[in-house]
Structures are given as structure tokens and as C-alpha cells.
């Protein structure tokens, strides 16, 4: 039994990137409702998370994979309304949150069935929409790639961002000593309230000097790059690991690798979107098995900065790029094109 049939209209509202540029290039359009392929589901979206890769794609600096929708949007929550051949995990009518390959700035989106997760108990669709992109990214880079262990000193830059508040809480729940950087004292206090031992205001404090006082970081998660790269190397303890997931201040820098060799440091990094369906499925399994229980016991909570209607996506992007936010920015999707019949 696959649940009641749902008849979808042929078209839907979406916010497309009309041309590379600033937030105002996001324009409402009517486009065809996506059709699921083998192993895919269609989700009637209720809420969509807003993430830095969306802004990079909008600016023309992060092209979607050839098989993905050209629409931005990498995570959302809603209801399963259609399934392609071979889907086994879900039924029509199931509520899910999902990592999307793209296409989230719309009423409907498709994803591989294994990239969708049940809504954590006690969370709303609004809160659940904020989880997939950041949880997949943090778990895969901090725990799997970075190998964070209980008792280690962990530093995350951009501690008040969506990635930052996720990383702080997960690392704290795993028993690490957590440190972070942020741009204001107010943000720093908010990050410390989430479990960071110290959050350094990078405008008034030197995170390198402060981390050296602790003995150095065993693991650093960085999305800044540029001038932070050589400072990160010096901020690491011997045998420390640096994981880069973005380069907001540039990917190129001069670096003395003699220190990397002499102190046995590891430099690595990844981006989530280009990885295989199989890799993302393994992350989904790990997230459900490890982070969902953190949510259930109150060790992890969703931090939402602000909410916008989907049609106000430009305003959501202005908020994102102002760097004034603490936590996640979410957009509400108003769906009017669904007719449900048994």
C-alpha cells in the first residue's frame, strides 16, 4: 500500500536565477513540476533552508551538476507526493526533510529517496527544513573526514552561521572542547550559549593567540580561507587536522608546508553537492542514527534567525549576505497547485 494518490498540476511557482548577480536577480517564474526518475521522490515543499551555496550559485560562482535542477535550494521539508520506479523507503503522504541536488526554491522538488529523512520527533516542518544541508556537511567533515573525538579541542570559524551553530552543538554533544569565532560580542555570547567553551570576536581578539593558550586545536573547521589558512596551521596542535569547506576570502594563499610535515598536520576538505548518491545516502544514515538522537535528548536544537516567504527570496539572500544572522534563514512555501484524491 503506497498511500493515497495525489494529482499534481503541470506547473509550479519557483524562484529562478534570471542572470548571475546580486539577490535581486532571483525572480518568480512558472515552471513544470519535476517528474521523479528511478529511485526518486517528489516533495511538496513546505519550507526551504537558505544556504551560502545558494548565494554562490546565484552569483555565478557555483554551477549545479549537469543532472540537477538549475533552480537554487539544497534542503527543504514537506510531503511526499509522487514516487519514481523502485522507491521502497517512503509512501505517499509521508512527511520528510531532505537534502536536495538543487531545485528547492519551488513548490515541488525531487531527490533520491535515500537523501530524505523522517522529521525528528518534536520538530516542526519549519525546523526540520534547516537540518539536512548543515547536518550532512558537519557530520561528513567534522566526524567522518575530521575524525573528531571526545576530549579534543575543536575550533569552528563562523560559529554563528548555519554551519557554525550546527558544528558547535554536534561537537559539544560528542564531548569535545568547543571553540569558535564570530564577528560581534553578541554573536559570541549566542555561540557560547550553544555549548562553545569560548567564542572569539575576530574583530577584537586574535584566535591564533587564544588557541595557543589552550595547547592548540586538534581539529579546525574553516569556511573562510584566504588569510585564515596560514593562521589555522599555526593554531593547530601537533598531529592536528584542518578541514576546509568553503573559501569566503579566497582559495589561494602562500603556505609553508615544512610546518605541516614537521608537526604531522593533515589538511583536507570537501564539498557536498558533487558527491555521489551513495555517499550522500551514507551521510543520511549517519545523521539519522547520530544527530536525530541528539535532538531527541535535547543536546541539539534548531536555531532559526529569520523566515521569509519564498517569493521574498531576494530579501532572504540580503539577510544571508549581511552576515548579521545567527543560525539558519528559512523560507515558507505557499503551495496552491496540489489536488489530493484517494
Amino acid at each position: 500500500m503506497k498511500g493515497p494518490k495525489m494529482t499534481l498540476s503541470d506547473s509550479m511557482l519557483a524562484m529562478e536565477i534570471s542572470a548571475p548577480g546580486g539577490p535581486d536577480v532571483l525572480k518568480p517564474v512558472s515552471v513544470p513540476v519535476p517528474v521523479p526518475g528511478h529511485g526518486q521522490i517528489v516533495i511538496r515543499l513546505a519550507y526551504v533552508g537558505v544556504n551560502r551555496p545558494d548565494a554562490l550559485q546565484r552569483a555565478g560562482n557555483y554551477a549545479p551538476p549537469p543532472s540537477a535542477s538549475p533552480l537554487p535550494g539544497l534542503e527543504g521539508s514537506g510531503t511526499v507526493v509522487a514516487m519514481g520506479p523502485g522507491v521502497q523507503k517512503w509512501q505517499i503522504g509521508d512527511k520528510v526533510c531532505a537534502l536536495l541536488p538543487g531545485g528547492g526554491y519551488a513548490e515541488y522538488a525531487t531527490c533520491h529517496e535515500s537523501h530524505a529523512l523522517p522529521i525528528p520527533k518534536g520538530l516542526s516542518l519549519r525546523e526540520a527544513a534547516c537540518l539536512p544541508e548543515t547536518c550532512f556537511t558537519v557530520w561528513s567533515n567534522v566526524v567522518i573526514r575530521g575524525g573528531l573525538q571526545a576530549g579534543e579541542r575543536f575550533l569552528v570559524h563562523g560559529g554563528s552561521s548555519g554551519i557554525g551553530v550546527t558544528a558547535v552543538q554536534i561537537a559539544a554533544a560528542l564531548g569535545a572542547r568547543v571553540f569558535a569565532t564570530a564577528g560581534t560580542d553578541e554573536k559570541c555570547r549566542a555561540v557560547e550559549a550553544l555549548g562553545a567553551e569560548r567564542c572569539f570576536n575576530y574583530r577584537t581578539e586574535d584566535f591564533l593567540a587564544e588557541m595557543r593558550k589552550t595547547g592548540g586545536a586538534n581539529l579546525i573547521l574553516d569556511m573562510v580561507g584566504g588569510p585564515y589558512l596560514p593562521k589555522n596551521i599555526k593554531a593547530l596542535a601537533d598531529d592536528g587536522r584542518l578541514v576546509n569547506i568553503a573559501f569566503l576570502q579566497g582559495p589561494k594563499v602562500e603556505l609553508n608546508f615544512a610546518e605541516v610535515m614537521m608537526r604531522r598536520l593533515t589538511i583536507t576538505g570537501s564539498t557536498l553537492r558533487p558527491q555521489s548518491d551513495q555517499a550522500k545516502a551514507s551521510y543520511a544514515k549517519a545523521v539519522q542514527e547520530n544527530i536525530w538522537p541528539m535532538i531527541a535528548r535535547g543536546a541539539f536544537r534548531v536555531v532559526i534567525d529569520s523566515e521569509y516567504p519564498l517569493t521574498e527570496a531576494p530579501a532572504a539572500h540580503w539577510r544571508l549576505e549581511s552576515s548579521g544572522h545567527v543560525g539558519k534563514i528559512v523560507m515558507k512555501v505557499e503551495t496552491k497547485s496540489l489536488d489530493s484524491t484517494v
Side-chain angles (χ1 to χ4, degrees):
M1 178 67 176
K2 291 293 185 180
K5 292 183 178 180
M6 292 191 176
T7 302
L8 283 65
S9 66
D10 295 329
S11 63
M12 66 177 182
L13 170 70
M15 298 296 292
E16 73 167 4
I17 301 169
S18 58
D24 290 339
V25 304
L26 293 167
K27 304 291 186 182
V29 292
S30 179
V31 297
V33 172
V35 176
H38 189 276
Q40 291 185 330
I41 59 174
V42 177
I43 303 169
R44 181 187 68 191
L45 293 168
Y47 291 91
V48 183
V50 179
N51 295 282
R52 283 283 178 183
D54 303 345
L56 291 173
Q57 180 180 337
R58 188 210 70 225
N61 297 323
Y62 191 39
S67 60
S69 167
L71 298 172
L74 298 177
E75 65 181 351
S77 64
T79 306
V80 177
V81 293
M83 300 183 294
V87 171
Q88 299 294 325
K89 186 176 179 181
W90 304 106
Q91 294 185 349
I92 299 297
D94 284 344
K95 306 293 185 184
V96 299
C97 59
L99 183 76
L100 306 173
Y105 286 22
E107 292 182 288
Y108 302 91
T110 59
C111 74
H112 194 281
E113 67 165 332
S114 62
H115 303 167
L117 294 168
I119 306 298
K121 186 176 181 180
L123 292 194
S124 64
L125 287 171
R126 179 175 181 262
E127 292 168 313
C130 302
L131 292 171
E133 171 72 10
T134 50
C135 287
F136 280 49
T137 297
V138 169
W139 193 267
S140 63
N141 284 286
V142 172
V143 180
I144 298 175
R145 187 170 293 275
L148 182 66
Q149 299 294 316
E152 289 192 314
R153 296 177 296 274
F154 170 63
L155 171 65
V156 56
H157 293 298
S160 60
S161 68
I163 290 288
V165 299
T166 301
V168 165
Q169 294 185 90
I170 289 174
L174 292 174
R177 293 180 60 191
V178 182
F179 302 87
T181 62
T184 69
D185 290 344
E186 182 181 16
K187 286 183 177 182
C188 285
R189 301 298 82 78
V191 173
E192 288 171 353
L194 292 172
E197 184 174 323
R198 280 287 311 280
C199 183
F200 312 117
N201 183 339
Y202 62 77
R203 301 181 192 277
T204 60
E205 296 178 278
D206 181 358
F207 78 83
L208 171 55
E210 295 299 324
M211 287 308 301
R212 280 179 164 172
K213 294 177 185 177
T214 72
N218 304 109
L219 175 65
I220 297 176
L221 180 67
D222 182 36
M223 58 200 91
V224 180
Y228 273 44
L229 286 167
K231 292 185 70 174
N232 284 334
I233 293 298
K234 294 184 180 300
L236 285 170
D238 290 351
D239 297 295
R241 294 93 67 197
L242 169 63
V243 181
N244 269 92
I245 58 171
F247 297 100
L248 296 177
Q249 293 189 20
K252 297 181 180 180
V253 69
E254 184 174 308
L255 195 63
N256 184 351
F257 267 78
E259 186 170 6
V260 175
M261 295 165 59
M262 290 186 292
R263 297 178 54 218
R264 303 171 303 281
L265 306 179
T266 299
I267 302 174
T268 185
S270 74
T271 55
L272 179 60
R273 194 175 191 183
Q275 295 189 49
S276 69
D277 284 345
Q278 291 79 8
K280 294 174 185 176
S282 70
Y283 301 152
K285 184 173 184 291
V287 164
Q288 185 173 354
E289 290 178 350
N290 293 279
I291 301 179
W292 269 215
M294 292 179 187
I295 295 171
R297 67 176 186 265
F300 181 102
R301 66 182 178 88
V302 178
V303 181
I304 297 179
D305 174 83
S306 49
E307 177 187 319
Y308 297 83
L310 177 64
T311 51
E312 293 183 17
H317 275 227
W318 282 116
R319 177 64 178 168
L320 178 74
E321 295 190 320
S322 75
S323 294
H325 61 291
V326 175
K328 295 283 294 192
I329 299 168
V330 68
M331 295 191 296
K332 185 175 183 179
V333 183
E334 297 286 356
T335 302
K336 300 177 181 178
S337 54
L338 183 72
D339 175 32
S340 176
T341 57
V342 177

